[in-house]
Amino acid sequence: MADSLPALAFLGAGSMGGAILRGVVASGIRVDGGITATNRTPEKAETFADLDGVTSIALSERPEGNLEAARGARIVLVGVKPAMVPDLLREIAPVLAEDAIVVSLAAGVTLATFADALGAEARVIRSMPNTPSTIRKGVTGLAAGAATSPEDLALVRRLFETVGVVIEVPESQIDALSTISGSGPAYVFLLIEEWTKVGVSLGFSETDARVMAEQTFIGSTALLEASGETPAEMRRRVTSPKGTTERAIAVLQDAHLADTFAEASAAALARNRELAAGK
């Protein structure tokens, strides 16, 4: 783990950028030069105002805020909406330091888009983190551009390792990765939501039903991590022959969950491609 990080700029500290920013702050790592975050409105900027070492800028009050943030940063994280990325890149290009590393947080925006706006020699990395990064339990995929050195990639990897684990992939796999770890927390929350409804239908209070569903997921994933076994093996250990769990698992398998998960991933991947096309 790095002892410190260079100056960081979060341009568009929305849900994902904000999650990474808060995770970095929570890690306690020293950021030499500090962190600057930009958002459109004072209300959004205010949500980061109480974080130590963070300068939070409202662009409605300081229109040059993105330039100010990018000018002083070694790592510039771009978290605006995908359609806004090209204009933002052209805006900040003149003030970027020669050794600045530009990291994309925008879904579907390709490395080629960054190269078109910043030049072929720009050091660019696509990232796909997820929101558990807020509590330092995230998964982040990284895909480096052609002009990015191994040292650049290692530095950005250390940044994201402060908020979880990192997987390095070629760009051709970054969108597919996003359908698993990027969107994945929502899938888990949906399952907890549905199991809570089942608990209520069986006569439990909503509070008790939620505790059962939520803590079962939390405990099961912790047990899986501690065991070092595969999910399939842990499932087998819980599923006694001719028992109640075996009967329930049979119902879930008969519902073709594998096909459902594959279709969900394909739908997310298709949307990533639409975003890349500006739709």
Side-chain angles (χ1 to χ4, degrees), residues 62-128:
R62 291 164 62 180
E64 301 295 308
N66 283 329
L67 294 174
E68 295 174 34
R71 183 180 288 112
R74 174 74 197 285
I75 302 176
V76 178
L77 296 102
V78 176
V80 298
K81 293 180 180 179
M84 300 170 62
V85 169
D87 286 343
L88 174 60
L89 294 177
R90 286 188 286 268
E91 177 188 1
I92 66 173
V95 304
L96 289 175
E98 185 177 347
D99 63 349
I101 307 166
V102 181
V103 180
S104 172
L105 298 171
V109 182
T110 65
L111 291 171
T113 298
F114 278 74
D116 287 345
L118 300 177
E121 299 306 311
R123 310 177 189 201
V124 179
I125 295 174
R126 281 186 69 180
S127 73
M128 181 49 62

Side-chain angles (χ1 to χ4, degrees), residues 57-234:
I57 297 175
L59 296 174
S60 62
E61 297 176 339
R62 291 164 62 180
E64 301 295 308
N66 283 329
L67 294 174
E68 295 174 34
R71 183 180 288 112
R74 174 74 197 285
I75 302 176
V76 178
L77 296 102
V78 176
V80 298
K81 293 180 180 179
M84 300 170 62
V85 169
D87 286 343
L88 174 60
L89 294 177
R90 286 188 286 268
E91 177 188 1
I92 66 173
V95 304
L96 289 175
E98 185 177 347
D99 63 349
I101 307 166
V102 181
V103 180
S104 172
L105 298 171
V109 182
T110 65
L111 291 171
T113 298
F114 278 74
D116 287 345
L118 300 177
E121 299 306 311
R123 310 177 189 201
V124 179
I125 295 174
R126 281 186 69 180
S127 73
M128 181 49 62
N130 62 8
T131 52
S133 299
T134 307
I135 57 167
R136 304 181 65 200
K137 293 287 187 181
V139 177
T140 300
L142 295 178
T148 303
S149 70
E151 293 76 19
D152 296 332
L153 182 57
L155 180 58
V156 172
R157 182 183 181 106
R158 291 203 303 270
L159 162 63
F160 284 101
E161 283 177 341
T162 66
V163 296
V165 300
V166 174
I167 300 173
E168 295 178 20
V169 298
E171 185 180 19
S172 60
Q173 288 186 283
I174 198 76
D175 288 338
L177 178 144
S178 76
T179 71
I180 306 299
S181 58
S183 300
Y187 310 156
V188 174
F189 301 148
L190 175 62
L191 291 172
I192 293 172
E193 180 184 354
E194 293 303 322
W195 279 118
T196 298
K197 292 177 183 177
V198 171
V200 171
S201 74
L202 293 174
F204 295 98
S205 69
E206 184 169 352
T207 297
D208 286 346
R210 178 179 170 182
V211 167
M212 286 189 293
E214 186 175 303
Q215 293 302 314
T216 296
F217 271 81
I218 292 171
S220 298
T221 54
L223 178 59
L224 176 62
E225 182 179 32
S227 72
E229 296 288 351
T230 66
E233 173 58 26
M234 294 302 290

